[in-house]
Amino acid sequence: MYMVFARNKVPRHSIIEDVLGLNHLASFTPLPGNRLMRLPGKIRGGVTTIYADKHPFAGGKDHYSLYFEEPDRMKVELVAP
């Protein structure tokens, strides 16, 4: 598992600050990439697939990954070999 941090513009007290924060959690999965491709149709329980238009290469070329947002709005990435 790894954590991805990013800088974001956040409005605070009528000014916009450049703040570093947790962007999402990522975890490696033993599923091969071709099985990860079929996973979005099987996710249930209020979980939303994000970047569906780029799936399974939302992380870049030759980088099998599935991004989703769970009910508390935490973004999670599954990465396949």
Side-chain angles (χ1 to χ4, degrees), residues 4-76:
V4 179
F5 291 88
R7 289 204 170 275
N8 293 301
K9 303 288 185 193
V10 177
R12 290 192 182 165
H13 309 291
S14 73
I15 60 170
I16 295 183
E17 294 183 34
D18 192 14
V19 179
L20 179 66
L22 179 65
N23 181 275
H24 70 279
L25 297 174
S27 181
F28 292 101
T29 176
L31 291 174
N34 62 346
R35 290 197 51 210
L36 186 68
M37 291 173 66
R38 295 188 300 246
L39 215 64
K42 299 179 187 302
I43 295 176
R44 303 281 186 263
V47 175
T48 305
T49 301
I50 52 179
Y51 312 127
D53 59 324
K54 298 177 183 173
H55 179 73
F57 301 110
K61 186 180 183 232
D62 299 324
H63 178 90
Y64 284 99
S65 61
L66 171 63
Y67 287 84
F68 58 92
E69 191 173 78
E70 52 90 38
D72 291 324
R73 305 215 48 218
M74 174 58 72
K75 185 165 54 170
V76 178

